[in-house]
Amino acid sequence: MIVCQHERQNYKNPGNGYTVAVYRTRERNKIPAPAIKADKGNWVSFTAVGMELPGLEHVDIELEGTWEDRERFGKQLKVEGFRVLLPKTRQGISSYLSSMVKGIGPVLAETIVNRFGENTFGVLDREPERLLEIKGITEAKLETIRESYGASGEIRELMACLAPYRVTPKKAEKIKEHFGLEAVSLIRRNPYRLCEIKGFGFLTVDPIARASAGFAPEAPERVKAAVWYVLEEAQKEGHLYLDSGTVIQKAEQLLNKGFGRGRVERSAVIRAGNEMVLKERALQADGNAIFLSRNREAEQTAARNLARLLRESKHGFDVERELEEVQAELGIVLAEKQKEAVRMVFRSQVSIITGGPGKGKTTVLGVILKLFERKEPEKQVLLCAPTGRARKRLSESTGYPALTIHKALYLTGEDEALPDDEALEEDLVIADEFTMADMWLAGILFSRIKSGARLVLVGDVDQLPSVGPGSVFKEMIDSGVIPFTVLDVFFRQAKDSRIILNADLINRNQRALLFGEDFQFHKAEDDKEAAQIIAGLYEKELRNFGGNGDMVQVLSPLRVNTEAGVNALNRRLQEIANPGTLDKGEWRCGSITYRTGDKVMQTQNTEEISNGDIGLVTGIAIQPDGGREMSVCFGEVERKYQEEELAVLDHAYATSIHKSQGGEYPVVIIPVLKCFYPMLKRNVYYTGVTRAKIRVHLVGSRQALAIAISNTDAGKRNTLLALRLQKEMERQRLEAVPPAA
């Protein structure tokens, strides 16, 4: 343990908090001679590396770790834990207050210290009302200061408790928020509870909990954490449940790794799982299907509310006369399947419309909206979609305002609990690109639609399923209880597009695609050659569109481990689209360099910006406190990002095909290579191709393309929504039957 003070920060990665900083200490005897960077009399300086190392000036900090020889940088302290000590000097107290307590900036901190001196913390602890003696501190501000100062003490204690886990202060805040006032005692008693927090997997917590807290391999707390981890990992693959045998087998393997087979017995896993289901309710079961409770509740909520909406059949009405009038007004003639889709919306309270590009979904929506205005002129309509880009497309194609589903439901983030809120006011709700909606989002949407309202779900069932767990759109169709229409006729303009025709051929397992000006193939032997070709095509297309980066999009099935993946391509394409210049703002964060003019994507939902929204970096500025701030314009909304918030941004010159869903681009460039083997699937490339409007460039191997087209493995997801919906409809039907006399 070394008591030291922060001197300067050399580097910090905003994505994971990895920090390189220089500290000074008077404890010379604890610093190996090769590690001393500067010797200033009583003080010697050294370099420390670790996660979210504290940067408070003039404040004593305890660092704990091991000395490591690093080839390029010499001997450095690898920090395994740290603790911020309450400072005793005026400078230290002022620095602590301005950095750790909300409502107190540098000027106010200095004023407080000038008034109370070294007794400042005593005043804050025992007589906080005395702060009202200082000009500018109101009752409301005092309350903010008291709460924040109290929280800073709790965080210090929590950080000390979490030191072995190398937790960042930001993550400590999340832990405190999750567990409340009992956070420290709960974690000391059972550190495996950390597995409930995003970012703390079993593999991270287990070795530390066993080493620091002495948990035996077969300890119930450890076994339960392993079971939880198995189901969390399954959720990442899209599954809402695993069968009990699979859970037991996977947990058993995980628990015995490194101990030899049989150290943790199968019976211990079964016992722990039963407790989690029967006593703790952390898990729920349907026969052999084992769910994380939140996933089963979301699925039940979706089925129950869909059945509730479907039950309101009395609200159906005939629209034949109005349908003819609207077609005449718009100057169109609908195909029979399109007419059937429109009629179905007004016959049933819930209906589904599906079909690929060029099949007339947008035309049908326009007719539905016009008809609803005629039949229900006093009633309201909600148009919504899962992402910001899909929302924008929906609004542009229909001419009506649209919202993201998150915004329509007042959801401010990636919440896990199903919120309980009042019903939506609208009488017609149209949700587009609904293949992208996972079970959690679908469950909330269905629960908020009032009885008697109409719900229309639109999407392309052949596209990739949602990033989150479940297969909502497909399951609703497969249930057989919700009326749906498949639009399957090409329209004249679609027949002129090789993009649309090839998308249909891909979907029908036809490998003889049509190539020409709007659909091109460029041969590449490997990912390195593919990356070079992609860069050349990108530069050429960028010139064609006058440098407008919104017109050209590179899509890849993979993010990492290949030169033709999203991350590597972004670095290459940035130098083409937005190279560095002396007069351009630049901010290097780890391996990523952001520049003014960069194209970036938001990767988490917030109140204003949706996951998947693409923006433009408009400025990078130095703040008065020395920190940096980056401004990003997302259409009509501008958001400012501090250093710790940059982790929610990615460059967007290249994006994953999954992330591209809901978007549309004039030109799309897609690598298709044998090294992508796990992602060579029909629905992956069908989704990618259907993002383009004017031109598609495929780069790679024709053999890899043939493999992808032939591979129908869409990855079956474990979900019971279809079965649950069927049972719920039958249950509600029986409840509605009056008892026999």
Side-chain angles (χ1 to χ4, degrees), residues 13 16 28 42 71 92 216 259 266 286 300 363 413 460 484 538 541 560 618 639:
N13 184 326
N16 59 20
R28 179 187 295 269
N42 292 332
E71 190 174 331
F259 294 103
R266 181 184 177 86
D286 275 295
Q300 286 178 316
T363 304
D460 183 347
F484 68 93
Y538 184 81
E541 291 288 9
V560 295
T618 54
R639 187 184 165 191

Side-chain angles (χ1 to χ4, degrees), residues 54-120:
L56 293 169
E57 294 184 0
H58 310 294
V59 174
D60 284 345
I61 299 157
E62 286 183 345
L63 297 182
E64 185 176 6
T66 55
W67 293 100
E68 290 189 348
D69 284 307
R70 297 166 67 83
E71 190 174 331
R72 288 175 55 199
F73 306 106
K75 197 174 272 299
Q76 296 179 336
L77 181 70
K78 184 181 179 184
V79 178
E80 293 162 359
F82 63 80
R83 187 159 67 98
V84 177
L85 306 177
L86 276 181
K88 296 174 183 175
T89 67
R90 285 175 170 250
Q91 274 186 314
I93 295 168
S94 180
S95 176
Y96 181 93
L97 293 179
S98 61
S99 301
M100 299 288 285
V101 182
K102 286 179 184 174
I104 299 180
V107 175
L108 184 55
E110 193 174 337
T111 305
I112 293 170
V113 174
N114 285 340
R115 171 67 66 90
F116 302 116
E118 286 81 2
N119 190 39
T120 297

Side-chain angles (χ1 to χ4, degrees), residues 49 83 92 129 144 203 248 280 336 448 480 495 517 534 537 550 569 582 706 713 717:
V49 298
R83 187 159 67 98
E129 63 280 355
T144 299
L203 300 180
I248 293 165
E280 299 167 10
E336 191 52 43
R448 299 278 185 85
K495 293 177 183 176
E517 174 58 27
I534 288 167
L537 289 168
D550 291 336
L569 286 171
L582 291 174
D713 176 19
R717 295 182 166 199

Side-chain angles (χ1 to χ4, degrees), residues 225-381:
V227 170
W228 181 274
Y229 174 79
V230 165
L231 288 165
E232 284 270 16
E233 288 299 294
Q235 179 181 270
K236 291 176 186 175
E237 295 174 10
H239 301 304
L240 287 164
Y241 72 86
L242 289 178
D243 67 81
S244 56
T246 302
V247 175
I248 293 165
Q249 178 193 7
K250 286 180 176 287
E252 205 177 351
Q253 288 173 351
L254 184 64
L255 289 161
N256 283 306
K257 192 173 183 180
F259 294 103
R261 191 175 177 184
R263 175 63 191 271
V264 181
E265 295 179 353
R266 181 184 177 86
S267 59
V269 179
I270 295 170
R271 191 162 52 249
N274 285 338
E275 277 193 28
M276 294 173 81
V277 172
L278 301 173
K279 288 176 66 176
E280 299 167 10
R281 301 292 290 167
L283 309 180
Q284 293 183 25
D286 275 295
N288 285 328
I290 308 299
F291 292 78
L292 295 172
S293 286
R294 63 174 180 259
N295 287 339
R296 183 169 181 266
E297 286 162 9
E299 195 173 72
Q300 286 178 316
T301 298
R304 184 172 62 251
N305 283 285
L306 281 170
R308 169 181 60 83
L309 293 167
L310 283 162
R311 197 173 61 228
E312 300 287 331
S313 56
K314 60 187 178 184
H315 295 279
F317 43 75
D318 180 70
V319 292
E320 287 305 315
R321 180 173 59 82
E322 291 88 347
L323 181 54
E324 294 304 317
E325 291 172 355
V326 168
Q327 288 181 86
E329 180 188 327
L330 296 175
I332 59 172
V333 178
L334 295 179
E336 191 52 43
K337 277 287 182 75
Q338 289 179 303
K339 289 180 184 177
E340 186 54 34
V342 174
R343 294 183 188 114
M344 182 181 63
V345 167
F346 293 95
R347 280 200 304 260
S348 173
Q349 299 309 115
V350 183
S351 56
I352 294 172
I353 301 170
T354 184
K359 303 290 178 66
K361 296 192 297 292
T362 300
T363 304
V364 168
L365 289 184
V367 172
I368 290 167
L369 290 165
K370 289 287 186 186
L371 271 173
F372 191 77
E373 285 177 352
R374 287 179 177 236
K375 298 294 285 188
E376 307 273 19
E378 303 300 318
K379 294 189 176 179
Q380 299 180 62
V381 177

Side-chain angles (χ1 to χ4, degrees), residues 462-464 503-511 679-689 705-714:
D462 295 312
Q463 284 189 27
L464 285 166
D504 186 63
L505 289 171
I506 289 169
N507 221 13
R508 293 190 288 110
N509 193 21
Q510 301 297 308
R511 292 182 251 178
M679 295 301 289
L680 290 178
K681 297 179 180 180
R682 182 185 299 171
N683 62 348
V684 171
Y685 280 88
Y686 172 78
T687 301
V689 164
L705 179 60
I707 292 168
I709 292 171
S710 300
N711 186 0
T712 59
D713 176 19

Side-chain angles (χ1 to χ4, degrees), residues 538 552-554 570 573-574 577-578 597-599 651-655:
Y538 184 81
V552 190
Q553 188 61 53
V554 176
N570 264 322
L573 301 178
Q574 183 193 30
N578 192 32
D598 267 343
K599 181 180 176 183
H651 279 118
Y653 303 105
T655 67

